[in-house]
Each structure stands twice: as structure tokens, then as C-alpha cells.
Amino acid sequence: MDMQVPKKKLGLKERYTLMTRDLAWDTTYQPKEKVYPYADYEGIKIHDWDKWEDPFRLTMDAYWKYQAEKERKLYAIIDAYSQSNGHLGVTDARYLNAIKIFLTAVTPLEHMAHRGFAHVGRAFPGAGARVACQMQAIDEMRHAQTQIHSLSNYNKYYNGFHDAPHMYDRVWYLSVPKSFFDDAITAGPFEFIVSVGFSFEYVLTNLLFVPFVSGAAYNGDMGTMTFGFSAQSDEARHMTLGLECIKFILEQDPANLPIVQRWIDKWCWRGVRLLSIVAMMMDYMLPKRVMSWKEAWEIYFEENGGALFKDLARYGIKMPACAEQIRQEKDHLSHQVWSAFYNYSGATDFHTWMPTEEEMQWLSQKYPDTFDKYYRPRFEFWREQQEKGNRFYNKTLPMLCQTCQIPMAFTEPGDPTKICYRERSYKGNKYHFCSDHCRHIFDNEPEKYVQAWLPVHQIYQGNCFPEGTDPTAPGFDPLAAVLEYYRINVGHDNGEFEGSEDHRNFEAWRGMAKRND
Amino acid sequence: MQVAAVKDYVGVPRDVVDNFHGNQLVYVGWDDHLMFCAPLTFPFPPTMRFGDIVEKVLPGAYGYHPDWARIDWSKVEWMKSGEPWVPHFNRTLAENGIGHKDAIRFRTPGLTGIKGSCS
Amino acid sequence: MQIDLRTVSIKPQRQTYGHIARRFGDKPASRYQEGTFDLQPTANFHYRPTWDPDREIFDASRTRLTMKDWYAFKDPRQYYYGAWTLARARQQDTAESNFDFVESRNLGALLTEDVRRLALDMLLPLRHVAWGANMNNSSICAYGYGTAITQPCMFHAMDNLAIAQYLTRIGLLLGDTSSLATAKEHWLYAADWQGLRRYVEDCLVVQDWFELFVAQNLVLDGLVYPLFYKTLVEDELSLRGGTAVAMLTQFMTEWYAETAKWVDAQIKTACAESPDNAALVRGWVSAWQARALEAVMPLAQSALGERAGAAVDDLATQFAARVAKCGVPA
Amino acid sequence: MSKVFIALQTNDDTRPIIESILADNPHAVPVESPAMIKIDAEGHLTVKRESISELIGRDFDLQELHTHLISLSGHIDESDDEFTLHWND
């Protein structure tokens, strides 16, 4: 009887195949086109899904074992950190504002990634690819929830953390991350995986989760450090999935190359624009700094991304066309974005401030060619005015880029003194862009980008007031109504950091910690 | 280019002029004054006199800047859609040919922001 | 500077996030609540999906079911990722020791040939049923509405993948790779498996996600798990000296008992919402149940012989009682 | 030749992992940051199960790496005994 024959030990790869793709079969009662209705319309040609190389080989039993271990560690630290008032150990309450942005702008994206990977985890006809995507779908849920749970204790004591999901759907600056992910998830499954799995995870998230999170550790924020690094341990799998996808698509058919190249170009730029907010978080919002945005960019984008593009050259993939502009912008990005948020600090759920003299010296040293010449005079003027009780707030709504939706705050390539204006007419309407690359993305798919929900325009259309508001009532204050619609508590969540409730509370609480009364 | 989709994909533009309750959008940017981080967006009726924008609206938006009071309006250079252009202050937006979502820029020669930094 | 932060007593400004406080009051909230409620965007979407241009990214009209509040679909287990992973890791530990126990004592070799054969013949094709359930639950997570129900469906999808993998391990333990191949042949071509395969494939093209939830998680699992893991493995095979098999399927048995409570809670919530919902669910249950019973009949006959008729009748009666308890009208 | 890297949290579990990676890859360069270490290496880098097992005195499963991993770059080749990162250029 066959039980007596000694069994051959299966190798990792063979065993994993039996545990995943061998479970699948070609349906016969329902045609393939109905079972996988989203597989073909993007024009990507896949001839043989069996050529898919599993990027990692984790069966569910091992997955649960290792993830449970990570979760146990993570929640033990979160509990200990909360119980011991760990928040009073951060360098300075200014720091917390970076974490507010994390909760409102990044956490909702983790949830979107969760749903997006559930979608492609169902949509791909290849079984191996589906399993890898599904695993990422639950990982992304993990990230959303560990962030919500880690930051929950900050919410109890500090302002601006209180309504992230509501704000994500409404607040002006959050339309930047929201439109980014809406763009990805509304694309076909192949573009989704290239956009998120490859351009975003592989090329860009390192910048958020590695140097920024190391910065969080440096600033005493054990909570963020823990969820950040713990999430990133899953990202290594996700990055590998992204890279495998791109190789697989390119190896399947030469006709896929131009499509993939267009997606890489598009998503590299979309990602760079989205990460501009991380640039300012690193350079302006960490009281103790590990490295400048520019240095992080050089390591993780130029060196690491560069190695990747060199590797992909054998498939005919070229460095994205936007690379040159990206290289020039690294000296300006964080300063321009911080300026923009300082302008519109009245309408955000976090505080802004001007750097101290010591911090400006650090910026001068890290940005020797640009900071003193273009930005220091502006910042010193703002600081002087603030000290005189005349803090600058821009009270008129900005012009936004139709594609990335960021205020048009970026300057002409090669001329940091002039705003970069680009426009396009399409079907009798005008559209405006912050850059050639954003315009190019629009030109490729105008029917998509004309739909953009641009916060400034929506406000002027009267769509951003609380339900039941009468804009014709006497004394109607539109800005106050918009902030109410956002659920931003005026005078608590927004505006200048100096003298804010967060600032005063943190100082008082920390003072109590140093005394014995 | 067409959007690749499972069926016809037609976008409904969200910002057509009809959605603004009788107003149109006008973008205004002051060159070399990046203290205002981006050009501004205003909803104006097309019947509004152009001069009223400059005299009554812009001071509220830009008056904070020390250069604002120093502007010599006779020397100001205007651009529309990136091209040199001359507005008539006594005519309306419509009469000036300013359409919905037109971007207008003005340069104030001799004024280059805080300590010449174009801020 | 040494600061003893623990000694500082400060009053919190608020107990939980605003959206959680608006639902449950401003009091300390559970991790399940904070990690689940209102997480999914509901307004101001930027672009229509290229894969479904007539709808929004998240759109309640992807099912005919209607709800005033989609977060009524609470999970009685209160699973968020951490709670789910820890629960499954514990079950996995037990499963692992069961597999070790059977393997180290070579209990597989002690099974009579007909018991071993029956176990392999009846259980291994279920790998593919679980695989279908994996795809369907991934689909519900992707196109469903509201995190309260989409989240557990993704966990359910991964649970089903795990079950397919445990079944694979059973195949490798009690047989070898050729046993898996033979079972797949049966799944694809043997007459008595075709009804079930057709049911699974038809589910793969169901567009209404709540109908899919009913067809897959309530009806199909509700008949397949009791029939195969209870009647066949725990009753029939154990009587015939096959307790080792029951040890290897313990995960499935416990998992079904746990998840059925969650499934029932969802059906109950849907039906309690409105008579229209209840009628919809009734229609879905009736249509899919008839097909499922028909599909499992020949398999029951192969497994149980002449007792198959009575066993399937029992199954149908118990299922009808369960469904009635969930508030599905007669 | 491009560089690959692996970044790990620094804690008691990773101390022997880092030590063995540096011993097995003499061309690797450690770069320390708060709470983490990034190990850069020209062309390729290999993590060996055997070396780590020897240092910790028990059998190490390479999948345990995932618990402490922060990031990496390069293509991955994974077997029961070795975890290798490399570029193909």
C-alpha cells in the first residue's frame, strides 16, 4: 500500500505551489471572461500566469504565527506607552502635529489599500498573484488599525486627532492623498498594482516609514516608532510583490512595455507630489532631526530607486521623464510646502509655526544653495510679525492643480522665484496644473481628471457647509461654516502652535511631571 | 487619449460655470511675492468691474505684504494665460474677455518681495 | 533629565475619536470600535471606477439590500486584525500539535484502507470549495459597503485559504501529491462532484455582494461543513476508527462553529432592518439552498450510502431551523 | 554595481542576526540610525540560517527575519537555508 513508501520531502517552492495555485482550476460552467471580468480591458497581455514567481512563500499557518508575534509585541508597547503617559516624553508638542497628519492623511490610505488589494486579490486570473494580493489586503488593514490604536491615546490629550475619516472625505489638503488613492483604485487591476505595489511601495514608502519613523524614535515617540517599524516589516513583502508584478508583466509580452512605462511615469510623479507633505514633516516638524528630506531622498529615491531602474533597463524600462525635475525640486520642496501650510494654517486640523533660529541654521546647512537665499527672509519676516502679534494667515482660497490637487505653490523648474503655471482647454473648459507632468497625466486621461473634487471649487459651489446651512442668512460666515463642515474646532485644532491649547497643556503637564506636588 | 474601461467612460466635469450660482472663477497671482504661496481663487460675477477687483478685493488678500502699498499701478504688467495682456479697469470681467477659470498674473516692477527674495 | 511620567495625573480632553463618540458616547472605546467604525470613505469620491463606471468607488447600490446604517453589521467576535490574528494563531497551535501527534505516532497508517480512502476522496476536493470561498469573500470585501462587514469578510477569505491549506496537508499526510491530483481530477470530472463545482463556479459570477454572502457563507458553508466535517468525519469515520481524521479537521469544526455565529448575526441584522430585506434574503436562501442540497446529495450517497437520504433530510431540517432563528421569513 | 540593502530594528533579537550578516558579507557596510540599522552592500547580500543558528544556539527559521525587518531592496532569492538580495545589472 502506498502509505509504506517513504515520502519525498517537498521543497519550499513545490509545497507552496500545492498550498496556493494548485487549489485553482479553470472554470467550465462559467466562462473565464465572466469569472475575471476586469482582466483584459487595460490592454495588458498575459499569456501564462504559471510563469508567476511567488514573491514570498508564506502559508497561512506561518503567516498567523509571525503576525501574531508582531501584534503581541506591538500592543504590549502601545499599552505600556499609554499607561505611563509616554506622550509627555516626546521632545516637544510641536512634534505631535506631524503625527496628526499621519492619522488623517496616511491611515485612511492604508484602509484604501486594504480594499484595493481585496479587489485585485479577486480580479487577477492568476492564483499565485491573487494570494499575494490578498495577504497584502489584510496587512494593510493591520496598518490602518495599528495606527488608529497607537494614536488613540494622543487623541485623548491633544487636539486635531479626533475625526480622521470624516476629514479625509472633506478637508482641503486631504483631497491630495484621497485623489491619489481614488485614482489608483479606480484604475484597472494592473495599473493599481503598478501604482501602489511598485511605484508607491517600492520606490516611495521607504521615505515615510524608514527615516521619518526613525525620526519619531529619536523624538521619543515609542508609539509611532513601534507601529511604523512593525508595519514596515510587512512592507518588505509588499515591495517584493510590487517588483515581482512589474517583472512578470514585462516578461509576458513586449506590447506591455509602453503601457507599463506610462504608468511608472505617471505614478512616480503622483507619488512624488504626494510625498511632498512628508518632506515638510521631516524638515520642519521633527524637533530632533535624523537627516534632512534631501538626504533621505538621495538615499531612498536616487540611490535605491536608481538601482531599481538600472535593473529594469533590461526590459526596456527607462527612468521616468520627471526625474530631472524631481532632482531640482529636492532643494525646495519642504520649504515650499511648509510655506503653503503656514499660509493656510487657519483651515487645518494641525498647527504650524516658524522654525527657531537654531533650526534655521540647520536648514541653511542642509540646504546651502537655497534656504538662505529664497526662504529664510520670508520665514524671518513671518516670525517677526508673529512676535508682534500679527501672525500671517492667507485668508483667500488658493488655486489648485487639477491633477495632484496641491495648491499651486511649486515654482518653475530652473526658477525658484516664479510659480509654475500650466493650463489646458478640454471640451470648452480650462484646467490648470502645477507642472508639465501633472498636465501630461491629465492629457492622457482627461475624462478621468475632469471629475476631480477640488476642495476650493466645491467650497465656492456651496457644497462644503454643514447640512441645513443657509448661506443667505444675515451674518453668514462662509469660512466658519466650512470649518464646521470639516469638524475643525476653531481656536483649538488650527492655527499657530505658539500659545495653542496643545502647547500650553503639554508645558503644564510636563511641568507637573518635574514637580512633586 | 481614451480612458481604458470596461465600458464607455465619460467624465462629468465638476467645475463648469453653471455650478457656481451666477459666478465664475478667476485665479489671480502676484508674481515675485511667494509669501502668498499660490495664486488665489475668487468667485466673481462676470458683470463685476475689473477695477473693483484691484481696488476692493485684492487689498484684503494682499495688503499684509509691505510691498502692496508701494505698487505703482500705472507700471503693473499683466498676463492672462501666460501671455502679456492689458486689462481695462472700467470694464467688466466679461468685457475684458476674462472667462471662467482664467488665470491672471500681475508683475509689479521694482518690487521683489522681502529682502529681494521674491517672497 | 529624569521625569517620572507615571505619577502625573492629567484629565483627558476626550475619551475616544469623534466618530466613535457620536455613535457610542464619549467613553473609552474598544479597539474593535476604533479600528472599524466609519473607516470607509463615504463622500466626495474623485473619479468613477474604470471597472464600474456607473457607480462610485464605494457604492451602496452594489447590493439590492438596503440599510439605514451599514455599520449595523457588527461582528459579535469583535475581530479587528490583531484580535483575529491572535485567535487564529492559537487555533493554529492546536492544529499544529494535532498534525504532529498524528504524524509522529503514524496514526495515518493505523487507519483502515477504506477509511483512509473515504477521507481522501471526500475531503481533498473540498480544497477547491474553500478556494472558491476565498475568492468570494475577497470579492465581498472589495465591493461591499461599510468596514463592519467588509473587514470580517477579508478575514473569512484568508481563513478559507488556510482551510484549503490544511486540507492539502491532510492529503500529504494521509496520502501524497498524487492524492491531491486525483482529488482534483474528481473535482473537475467525476459526476458526483459536478453539482458542487457548478454551484461554486456560479457563485464566482454573482454580482450582488450580499446575495453572494448568503449563497457562500450562509447556505453553502451551512450545508457543507455539517455534512462533511460533522456527519462524515466526526460521526461516520470516528465510528470506523478514523478519529485521527477528526483531529486533523478540528480547525474546520471549531472555525465553523465560531464563524456561523458571525454569519447568523449578519443575516439577522439584514432581515431585522426591513421586510423588503427579509424578503430578499428569503428569496436568496430558497434559491441557493435548493441547489446546494441537490449538489451535496450524490456526495452524501458516496460517503454514507443508504443513510444519505436521512442525513441530508436532517441537514435540511437543521438548516431551516437555523435560518428561521436568524429571522428569515418562511 | 548597484547597492542592495536590508534594514532591521535594533533589539536583542536582531543583535545576532546583524552580527552574522556582517560576518558573512565582508563587503557590507552598516549604517546606524535611531532604533534601526541599515546594512548596505554592493551587488548582493546573503543572510544564512546556519550562521544565525550557531550564534543563538538554536535552530533559526529564516522566516523569523520578517518580524524584525524594516525594509530591503533588490531581488529576493529565498530557500530554507539562505535569503539573498541581489541586482541583475
Side-chain angles (χ1 to χ4, degrees):
Chain A
M1 130 183 174
D2 54 355
M3 281 300 290
Q4 306 307 323
V5 181
K7 280 177 197 161
K8 188 183 73 153
K9 185 163 170 1
L10 296 171
L12 184 63
K13 194 173 166 180
E14 200 181 353
R15 188 177 158 83
Y16 190 74
T17 298
L18 291 174
M19 294 290 190
T20 52
R21 60 181 83 180
D22 187 55
L23 302 169
W25 70 97
D26 292 332
T27 58
T28 59
Y29 296 108
Q30 290 293 344
K32 206 172 172 214
E33 311 79 69
K34 271 185 87 181
V35 176
Y36 303 106
Y38 310 141
D40 297 323
Y41 74 85
E42 294 168 275
I44 291 291
K45 294 189 174 64
I46 304 295
H47 304 287
D48 185 3
W49 278 100
D50 285 342
K51 293 262 164 51
W52 170 266
E53 284 284 336
D54 296 306
F56 45 84
R57 300 190 180 90
L58 209 51
T59 47
M60 284 310 295
D61 49 5
Y63 178 87
W64 284 330
K65 181 177 156 193
Y66 292 118
Q67 296 300 100
E69 197 178 320
K70 288 192 213 168
E71 289 290 277
R72 265 190 291 268
K73 279 190 184 159
L74 173 68
Y75 283 98
I77 296 174
I78 295 175
D79 282 340
Y81 188 70
S82 311
Q83 286 157 6
S84 67
N85 281 328
H87 60 95
L88 294 179
V90 302
T91 38
D92 162 343
R94 289 184 306 170
Y95 164 78
L96 297 173
N97 293 288
I99 305 306
K100 295 174 194 176
I101 297 176
F102 210 106
L103 185 69
T104 51
V106 179
T107 305
L109 297 188
E110 307 275 14
H111 168 268
M112 289 302 291
H114 156 71
R115 296 291 290 268
F117 275 96
H119 164 60
V120 296
R122 172 61 186 82
F124 282 135
R130 280 208 305 278
V131 168
C133 289
Q134 290 174 359
M135 222 170 252
Q136 181 156 354
I138 43 172
D139 287 341
E140 300 291 359
M141 189 48 139
R142 166 173 195 253
H143 301 172
Q145 292 177 333
T146 53
Q147 288 161 22
I148 290 166
H149 294 152
S150 300
L151 302 180
S152 172
N153 193 54
Y154 287 129
N155 170 58
K156 291 182 180 164
Y157 298 98
Y158 301 95
N159 296 320
F161 285 98
H162 53 81
D163 265 297
H166 177 88
M167 290 184 185
Y168 178 74
D169 278 350
R170 293 166 182 82
V171 174
W172 63 277
Y173 78 94
L174 295 171
S175 84
V176 176
K178 181 165 173 161
S179 62
F180 174 94
F181 228 102
D182 281 9
D183 194 354
I185 206 169
T186 54
F190 288 102
E191 184 178 346
F192 177 83
I193 198 98
V194 170
S195 66
V196 180
F198 178 75
S199 298
F200 197 64
E201 299 272 5
Y202 205 96
V203 185
L204 300 162
T205 44
N206 268 326
L207 283 151
L208 175 61
F209 278 96
V210 187
F212 179 77
V213 170
S214 181
Y218 201 35
N219 284 280
D221 182 1
M222 288 310 124
T224 300
M225 181 203 83
T226 310
F227 81 68
F229 283 159
S230 195
Q232 195 62 18
S233 65
D234 303 332
E235 300 294 354
R237 274 205 315 275
H238 304 167
M239 289 189 280
T240 321
L241 171 59
L243 184 53
E244 173 51 35
C245 274
I246 215 98
K247 283 195 302 187
F248 173 72
I249 298 170
L250 292 170
E251 280 168 5
Q252 282 289 311
D253 197 297
N256 294 338
L257 175 64
I259 304 176
V260 171
Q261 181 75 57
R262 180 163 56 81
W263 289 341
I264 288 182
D265 290 356
K266 167 182 169 181
W267 287 100
C268 188
W269 184 252
R270 287 288 255 140
V272 164
R273 277 290 180 254
L274 177 63
L275 280 197
S276 61
I277 199 165
V278 182
M280 94 171 181
M281 285 158 72
M282 279 189 66
D283 281 344
Y284 287 88
M285 305 183 84
L286 293 179
K288 281 166 77 177
R289 296 152 164 93
V290 178
M291 61 172 78
S292 68
W293 166 256
K294 185 182 170 186
E295 288 163 328
W297 187 255
E298 286 165 353
I299 295 171
Y300 291 101
F301 185 83
E302 294 180 3
E303 189 181 344
N304 187 40
L308 173 73
F309 282 105
K310 234 164 97 186
D311 187 86
L312 292 175
R314 73 200 138 106
Y315 299 110
I317 289 288
K318 295 192 176 71
M319 194 71 177
C322 56
E324 176 51 27
Q325 183 166 348
I326 295 172
R327 197 189 56 75
Q328 290 187 19
E329 283 190 351
K330 71 185 175 191
D331 276 308
H332 299 279
L333 206 60
S334 63
H335 321 302
Q336 293 182 352
V337 176
W338 185 243
S339 287
F341 278 103
Y342 191 81
N343 266 250
Y344 293 106
S345 200
T348 55
D349 56 312
F350 61 92
H351 302 293
T352 56
W353 57 88
M354 273 297 112
T356 62
E357 178 50 34
E358 194 191 345
E359 287 165 339
M360 288 209 212
Q361 280 169 18
W362 181 85
L363 290 161
S364 305
Q365 183 213 330
K366 293 294 180 185
Y367 296 95
D369 301 331
T370 56
F371 184 75
D372 285 350
K373 189 167 173 197
Y374 301 109
Y375 304 103
R376 183 190 272 270
R378 185 187 314 173
F379 290 179
E380 285 179 346
F381 177 78
W382 277 340
R383 200 170 61 194
E384 281 164 31
Q385 294 301 311
Q386 193 245 325
E387 282 162 3
K388 286 189 212 154
N390 187 31
R391 205 274 197 197
F392 175 60
Y393 290 107
N394 193 333
K395 294 189 184 94
T396 313
L397 304 183
M399 179 179 183
L400 306 178
C401 171
Q402 184 76 23
T403 304
C404 71
Q405 310 205 5
I406 300 176
M408 299 254 298
F410 302 109
T411 48
E412 277 290 350
D415 185 358
T417 68
K418 298 280 181 297
I419 294 285
C420 180
Y421 290 81
R422 297 291 182 272
E423 64 177 64
R424 178 68 79 221
S425 285
Y426 179 73
K427 289 190 177 172
N429 281 294
K430 275 208 167 109
Y431 299 93
H432 298 269
F433 309 93
C434 71
S435 56
D436 291 325
H437 308 294
C438 274
R439 180 168 66 181
H440 188 64
I441 291 168
F442 176 93
D443 285 347
N444 277 333
E445 293 179 297
E447 293 293 335
K448 189 165 200 185
Y449 298 100
V450 296
Q451 304 169 64
W453 190 90
L454 292 180
V456 168
H457 296 179
Q458 290 299 316
I459 289 170
Y460 284 144
Q461 289 179 33
N463 297 334
C464 299
F465 305 133
E467 228 171 290
T469 300
D470 175 12
T472 60
F476 174 69
D477 177 350
L479 182 63
V482 169
L483 294 177
E484 196 187 332
Y485 168 78
Y486 286 172
R487 293 192 189 277
I488 287 176
N489 299 316
V490 178
H492 299 272
D493 300 342
N494 61 342
E496 170 63 36
F497 172 78
E498 287 292 323
S500 65
E501 202 167 64
D502 274 5
H503 183 202
R504 283 180 280 125
N505 282 340
F506 184 80
E507 293 303 318
W509 294 333
R510 195 131 82 174
M512 284 160 66
K514 288 189 231 168
R515 290 192 310 269
N516 227 349
D517 50 23
Chain B
M1 235 167 79
Q2 259 194 331
V3 175
V6 287
K7 60 204 287 194
D8 272 357
Y9 190 91
V10 181
V12 178
R14 272 203 167 93
D15 299 322
V16 292
V17 70
D18 294 347
N19 294 352
F20 290 86
H21 313 289
N23 287 325
Q24 64 174 68
L25 293 183
V26 179
Y27 305 110
V28 179
W30 182 10
D31 275 15
D32 305 330
H33 290 79
L34 294 172
M35 183 155 97
F36 306 96
C37 65
L40 305 175
T41 308
F42 297 96
F44 292 136
T47 51
M48 186 161 177
R49 179 181 161 269
F50 186 84
D52 284 350
I53 296 176
V54 175
E55 292 146 21
K56 296 180 183 161
V57 179
L58 295 188
Y62 289 125
Y64 185 92
H65 200 291
D67 277 355
W68 179 258
R70 301 181 199 133
I71 296 175
D72 177 352
W73 287 97
S74 67
K75 294 208 174 109
V76 170
E77 297 163 8
W78 295 87
M79 284 203 280
K80 187 162 85 76
S81 285
E83 300 296 325
W85 166 78
V86 180
H88 297 272
F89 276 45
N90 274 323
R91 292 188 191 162
T92 65
L93 294 182
E95 289 160 355
N96 267 294
I98 299 171
H100 178 49
K101 293 171 77 181
D102 264 339
I104 292 166
R105 293 163 64 176
F106 63 100
R107 205 174 78 82
T108 48
L111 300 177
T112 51
I114 310 295
K115 294 183 182 164
S117 68
C118 292
S119 280
Chain C
M1 182 176 62
Q2 281 293 324
I3 307 178
D4 188 1
L5 299 171
R6 265 165 307 188
T7 60
V8 181
S9 168
I10 51 178
K11 197 176 159 298
Q13 313 256 60
R14 58 189 77 74
Q15 295 294 341
T16 183
Y17 295 115
H19 51 287
I20 304 300
R22 287 191 290 279
R23 284 183 177 277
F24 306 107
D26 188 25
K27 54 187 186 199
S30 70
R31 285 196 167 134
Y32 169 67
Q33 290 170 333
E34 289 195 342
T36 305
F37 287 86
D38 301 303
L39 205 51
Q40 177 203 285
T42 54
N44 306 331
F45 297 103
H46 290 274
Y47 324 106
R48 290 294 177 107
T50 59
W51 37 271
D52 187 4
D54 300 330
R55 294 193 179 87
E56 298 285 3
I57 295 169
F58 302 122
D59 195 317
S61 77
R62 286 197 182 95
T63 174
R64 288 162 65 203
L65 204 78
T66 51
M67 296 292 292
K68 279 192 291 294
D69 175 13
W70 291 90
Y71 286 88
F73 288 117
K74 293 180 181 61
D75 182 349
R77 307 162 301 175
Q78 305 204 24
Y79 276 163
Y80 57 98
Y81 178 92
W84 169 73
T85 309
L86 289 169
R88 292 294 177 258
R90 275 192 299 273
Q91 287 167 283
Q92 149 62 16
D93 274 348
T94 312
E96 208 55 50
S97 26
N98 288 351
F99 271 85
D100 280 350
F101 189 83
V102 172
E103 195 171 12
S104 61
R105 287 162 183 76
N106 205 11
L107 298 185
L110 299 178
L111 298 174
T112 61
E113 180 56 19
D114 62 323
V115 165
R116 192 179 68 90
R117 178 63 50 209
L118 190 56
L120 291 177
D121 283 352
M122 286 291 130
L123 293 181
L124 296 196
L126 296 181
R127 289 166 84 218
H128 309 294
V129 178
W131 180 250
N134 161 271
M135 290 175 69
N136 288 329
N137 279 286
S138 194
S139 179
I140 299 170
C141 174
Y143 313 119
Y145 199 86
T147 313
I149 191 156
T150 56
Q151 161 178 246
C153 285
M154 201 63 222
F155 298 152
H156 210 62
M158 302 320 279
D159 289 345
N160 272 292
L161 175 62
I163 287 168
Q165 293 178 343
Y166 283 127
L167 289 167
T168 306
R169 289 178 64 182
I170 292 175
L172 295 173
L173 183 58
L174 302 183
D176 55 23
T177 50
S178 70
S179 316
L180 299 174
T182 307
K184 195 167 178 177
E185 284 289 301
H186 290 171
W187 172 249
L188 288 173
Y189 306 112
D192 50 0
W193 284 98
Q194 295 318 296
L196 195 52
R197 182 159 74 91
R198 171 170 233 146
Y199 185 110
V200 170
E201 291 190 12
D202 286 352
C203 282
L204 294 177
V205 301
V206 169
Q207 296 297 303
D208 184 307
W209 64 268
F210 204 87
E211 179 182 359
L212 184 55
F213 186 91
V214 170
Q216 172 68 57
N217 295 339
L218 176 66
V219 178
L220 186 62
D221 288 354
L223 297 172
V224 163
Y225 278 76
L227 177 64
F228 287 84
Y229 296 105
K230 176 80 177 64
T231 309
L232 173 65
V233 174
E234 293 202 331
D235 303 345
E236 177 74 12
L237 292 184
S238 295
L239 273 178
R240 291 158 66 178
T243 314
V245 181
M247 285 185 76
L248 301 178
T249 57
Q250 191 187 336
F251 181 92
M252 287 71 135
T253 314
E254 285 179 3
W255 177 83
Y256 175 71
E258 176 213 284
T259 56
K261 287 192 193 116
W262 162 66
V263 171
D264 287 356
Q266 311 313 300
I267 300 295
K268 211 169 177 172
T269 302
C271 291
E273 174 83 4
S274 68
D276 283 354
N277 278 359
L280 267 175
V281 173
R282 172 76 271 169
W284 288 328
V285 168
S286 300
W288 288 100
Q289 171 189 276
R291 296 193 48 189
L293 285 169
E294 198 183 322
V296 297
M297 194 62 196
L299 298 166
Q301 277 160 353
S302 311
L304 307 169
E306 58 193 21
R307 286 181 295 109
V312 172
D313 283 349
D314 272 0
L315 196 62
T317 311
Q318 281 164 20
F319 184 72
R322 174 182 168 192
V323 164
K325 228 177 125 191
C326 292
V328 179
Chain D
M1 197 54 129
S2 304
K3 279 187 203 162
V4 297
F5 75 80
I6 188 166
L8 296 160
Q9 296 184 52
T10 43
N11 56 40
D12 201 47
D13 291 332
T14 55
R15 212 172 14 82
I17 302 176
I18 294 161
E19 192 181 327
S20 75
I21 293 175
L22 293 174
D24 288 337
N25 299 273
H27 65 302
V29 180
V31 184
E32 288 182 53
S33 288
M36 61 170 275
I37 186 167
K38 179 170 176 271
I39 303 175
D40 294 328
E42 290 280 332
H44 62 94
L45 181 122
T46 301
V47 186
K48 296 184 178 165
R49 186 182 63 81
E50 187 76 48
S51 320
I52 300 170
S53 299
E54 245 168 61
L55 275 180
I56 60 177
R58 68 166 173 91
D59 201 21
F60 182 81
D61 185 334
L62 282 175
Q63 293 200 327
E64 289 177 51
L65 264 185
H66 287 288
T67 323
H68 310 287
L69 196 59
I70 292 171
S71 185
L72 49 77
S73 80
H75 301 285
I76 297 178
D77 277 334
E78 203 178 4
S79 70
D80 287 330
D81 296 321
E82 288 190 349
F83 179 93
T84 300
L85 295 169
H86 66 93
W87 287 121
N88 291 325
D89 57 353

